[in-house]
Amino acid sequence: MAARLKIPGGIVAELAAEFAGTMILILFGVGVVAQVAGAGIGDHDSIAWAWGLGVVLGVYVAGRVSGAHLNPAVTVALAVFKGFSWRKVLPYTLAQTLGAFVAALLVRWNYTEVLHAADPGLTIKTQGVFSTLPGNGTLPVGEWGAFRDQIIGTAILLFLILAVTDALGTPPQANMAPFIIGLIVVGIGMAWGTNAGYAINPARDFGPRLASFLTGYGGAWRDQTGYLYFWIPIVAPVIGGVLGAGLYQGLVGRFLPGLGAPEPGRLPEQETRENVEARNG
């Protein structure tokens, strides 16, 4: 069995890394939406790519210390299927949400003039800068459609994250896993962004939603129909993450040879199958 990494600072260091990594993710993700919605600079593709790059950079920031979950749906799925400690799930979730909240406040502050010029009443017109809406606030998608969409999108995310980070399979070499995970998010944004804005991350949605509410968006908790929508991007991604991780384990993971693996929730060490087999005798 591979030795577990000893992280200086323990849980405090891990939570600081989750906070920092999620903050980086949201600075790029919410920032690009503010630029597109507020100033008309960029389009859907620039949004998808900036979110993906935010994931890449956030994972590089936090990966060595905490595993860079950056998403409560990832944390819960790893606890259910990969042995990640349940006692860390709530602290990780709070750190991720706080990082998203702080980043959204910075975006809100920096883009104050642009947002007020584009939407003086701070209405649903620019609420989508910070949090997601069914049909992105304009298309004929109801709450059930958004709920379904978030389950599917997050299931895809977790299925592929487990595939990319499973040391027993064929993980990317040369520290490329963060880049590949970022491409996964770009792909989901380009293919699954219509029905609910591909939150696929409770912290990504709730933290910025709270920040927008506290800075003038009085309707932040509701969708365009007045429905109390905020719970859907929290609950549905957790369900979808567990389903996606379970599907990976059932369809692929359980058939892989049982070799030494790193601590659950951490990025895999870059070593070949032959090296592991030689070490394990």
Side-chain angles (χ1 to χ4, degrees):
M1 179 66 69
R4 296 197 172 199
L5 294 173
K6 180 66 174 178
I7 301 299
I11 186 64
V12 173
E14 294 174 33
L15 297 182
E18 285 297 302
F19 171 87
T22 310
M23 183 173 66
I24 293 298
L25 163 62
I26 299 303
L27 285 173
F28 282 89
V30 172
V32 70
V33 183
Q35 180 169 268
V36 173
I41 300 173
D43 55 19
H44 174 269
D45 287 355
S46 66
I47 290 173
W49 279 108
W51 274 108
L53 289 171
V55 170
V56 172
L57 298 172
V59 174
Y60 275 124
V61 164
R64 188 66 174 172
V65 177
S66 69
H69 300 186
L70 315 184
N71 181 343
V74 173
T75 302
V76 171
L78 291 175
V80 172
F81 290 104
K82 290 294 187 178
F84 184 74
S85 174
W86 278 102
R87 68 181 178 83
K88 293 182 179 181
V89 170
L90 181 58
Y92 265 51
T93 297
L94 292 175
Q96 293 154 2
T97 304
L98 184 59
F101 173 76
V102 171
L105 285 179
L106 287 170
V107 173
R108 174 72 175 86
W109 180 37
N110 188 60
Y111 280 98
T112 293
E113 298 86 356
V114 170
L115 291 172
H116 278 270
D119 182 17
L122 299 180
T123 68
I124 203 165
K125 179 181 178 182
T126 56
Q127 174 57 39
V129 168
F130 300 96
S131 53
T132 58
L133 293 161
N136 292 309
T138 59
L139 299 171
V141 179
E143 289 78 26
W144 162 243
F147 191 86
R148 176 192 65 224
D149 174 87
Q150 285 302 286
I151 290 176
I152 296 171
T154 316
I156 295 170
L157 175 68
L158 263 296
F159 188 101
L160 294 174
I161 285 178
L162 263 62
V164 167
T165 61
D166 195 334
L168 306 184
T170 53
Q173 300 300 303
N175 201 23
M176 287 293 290
F179 181 74
I180 302 302
I181 293 171
L183 288 181
I184 292 168
V185 173
V186 173
I188 291 173
M190 289 184 170
W192 293 88
T194 296
N195 281 8
Y198 72 107
I200 58 176
N201 181 339
R204 169 266 175 273
D205 196 85
F206 183 79
R209 193 181 295 270
L210 177 61
S212 68
F213 175 74
L214 294 176
T215 57
Y217 284 87
W221 306 111
R222 300 182 182 274
D223 65 15
Q224 60 269 31
T225 69
Y227 178 77
L228 197 63
Y229 179 79
F230 79 95
W231 66 274
I232 289 179
I234 296 174
V235 175
V238 174
I239 295 172
V242 171
L243 287 174
L247 283 170
Y248 173 80
Q249 288 298 105
L251 296 174
V252 179
R254 68 191 180 99
F255 298 114
L256 295 173
L259 306 177
E263 181 181 2
R266 301 199 184 282
L267 296 178
E269 295 294 326
Q270 304 302 324
E271 56 183 340
T272 66
R273 184 182 300 274
E274 291 76 15
N275 289 341
V276 176
E277 290 174 342
R279 187 185 69 238
N280 290 348

